[in-house]
Amino acid sequence: MTTPTGPTGTTTGTTTAAGDQVVAAPPAWLPVAAVGVTLFFWASAFVAIRHLGEDFSPGALTLGRLLVGAVCLGVVALSRGVPRPTGRQWVSIVVIGVLWFGVYNVALNAGERRVDAGTAAMLIQVSPVLIALLAAVFLHERFTLYLGLGLALAFAGVGLISLSMSEGGGNDVLGVVLCLVSAVVYSVSLILQKPLVARLPAIHVTWLACSVGAIVCLPFAGRLAGEAADASASSVLWVVYLGVFPTAIAFTTYAYALRHMSASSLGVTTYLVPPITIVMGVLLLDEAPPTMAYAGGALALVGVAVARRKPRTVAEEVGPPA
């Protein structure tokens, strides 16, 4: 039985040995719908984290989200077989779990106690530039003029955002730094993840890393239990939402979209996360980034776009989640 694919890796159908096609390609709208679901849930995560900042400390919120996400991802992953990583692959999975799912989430949760959701989303968007830079250093991809220019523009944008935080009420530079820490550890994790997903199913890698992150955050279990007992039922449900929708479902829909779309086309769609987050922040939290932060965010996104010009790098293959 063979599975022919189109020029972007899209499945066009499954045929028998006799040449009879038995499975058609998915409708054209389905991968697009999967992208829309992913972007909506990732953007909503920034708003939910900001909303929960008064009820849950950064570590407790991270553990709650990861426990729910690990259970949901495990159901999907185990339905596709039991993963059997090698010892070397386990090392990478553990590092990814500690950095991406542990440090990333704790730093982002702490950062969003100091900056608004839209600003946090714009800061995380510099990660594709960092991924391209790390790929040039560690994966021997070309360091191009576009990458150097994009890096300069992106961090000039971050500088403007930092300036706006120091001048705006209720925001501060430490929040910007914490969000950048999230972007850096996420970028390092993606470099480690690239060779893994070439040999293991992405859902298995994501589930195992999420589980490692949850284990690493178990020292926050006592605080999570206490804060959950004191929080309202709606806040607890928001923690469950973060684990189910932006974590488990959004990663699954993103993987589905990546299977049926070119990586570069899908990567560009992540530029929509900050504006969606800003709109949600205005509607649900009645807050928006300072005026200068918009200019800085736009400059950072221009830098990301410039850095991702051909030749293609690892940064094109995946966009940052929340």
Side-chain angles (χ1 to χ4, degrees):
M1 190 174 289
T2 60
T3 306
T5 58
T8 63
T10 303
T11 301
T12 57
T14 303
T15 59
T16 64
D20 300 318
Q21 185 165 328
V22 295
V23 178
W29 60 266
L30 202 53
V32 176
V35 172
V37 168
T38 300
L39 298 181
F40 177 84
F41 286 148
W42 278 353
S44 71
F46 289 100
V47 177
I49 291 169
R50 179 71 169 166
H51 170 69
L52 290 168
E54 295 183 0
D55 293 321
F56 291 92
S57 58
L61 179 56
T62 297
L63 176 60
R65 176 180 181 175
L66 294 183
L67 287 174
V68 175
V71 171
C72 295
L73 286 166
V75 171
V76 179
L78 292 176
S79 70
R80 302 183 183 182
V82 177
R84 293 181 173 83
T86 64
R88 194 169 186 176
Q89 289 170 338
W90 266 115
V91 172
S92 295
I93 288 170
V94 169
V95 174
I96 292 169
V98 172
L99 291 181
W100 185 1
F101 288 91
V103 176
Y104 172 93
N105 281 294
V106 172
L108 179 61
N109 294 344
E112 285 208 55
R113 294 166 73 94
R114 298 173 177 273
V115 304
D116 60 87
T119 298
M122 288 189 289
L123 289 167
I124 295 298
Q125 276 294 332
V126 304
S127 57
V129 181
L130 299 176
I131 293 169
L133 178 62
L134 291 170
V137 175
F138 295 105
L139 299 183
H140 308 296
E141 296 192 3
R142 289 180 57 191
F143 187 96
T144 66
L145 177 62
Y146 288 128
L147 176 55
L149 179 58
L151 189 65
L153 289 173
F155 281 95
V158 170
L160 283 179
I161 294 174
S162 300
L163 184 60
S164 73
M165 294 301 100
S166 64
E167 295 179 351
N171 298 285
D172 58 42
V173 177
L174 179 57
V176 174
V177 172
L178 288 168
C179 291
L180 287 179
V181 168
S182 294
V184 170
V185 297
Y186 167 74
S187 303
V188 172
S189 299
L190 257 295
I191 295 300
L192 293 173
Q193 188 190 46
K194 181 174 171 60
L196 280 179
V197 296
R199 297 173 175 82
L200 297 171
I203 187 65
H204 284 163
V205 173
T206 304
W207 169 54
L208 291 173
C210 183
S211 300
V212 169
I215 293 170
V216 168
C217 291
L218 283 177
F220 298 112
R223 182 168 292 184
L224 173 62
E227 291 172 358
D230 294 334
S232 65
S234 63
S235 292
V236 174
L237 289 175
W238 271 113
V239 175
V240 175
Y241 171 89
L242 280 172
V244 174
F245 293 92
T247 305
I249 293 179
F251 274 105
T252 303
T253 53
Y254 188 88
Y256 174 84
L258 187 59
R259 190 179 306 121
H260 297 286
M261 297 174 62
S262 67
S264 56
S265 296
L266 186 57
V268 170
T269 65
T270 62
Y271 295 164
L272 296 174
V273 171
I276 295 172
T277 303
I278 291 171
V279 171
M280 287 184 175
V282 171
L283 295 177
L284 301 177
L285 302 176
D286 195 26
E287 66 176 19
T291 302
M292 191 182 296
Y294 286 106
L299 185 58
L301 291 179
V302 169
V304 173
V306 170
R308 295 172 80 163
R309 291 286 299 272
K310 301 295 182 182
R312 244 173 52 187
T313 67
V314 178
E316 292 185 349
E317 301 192 8
V318 65

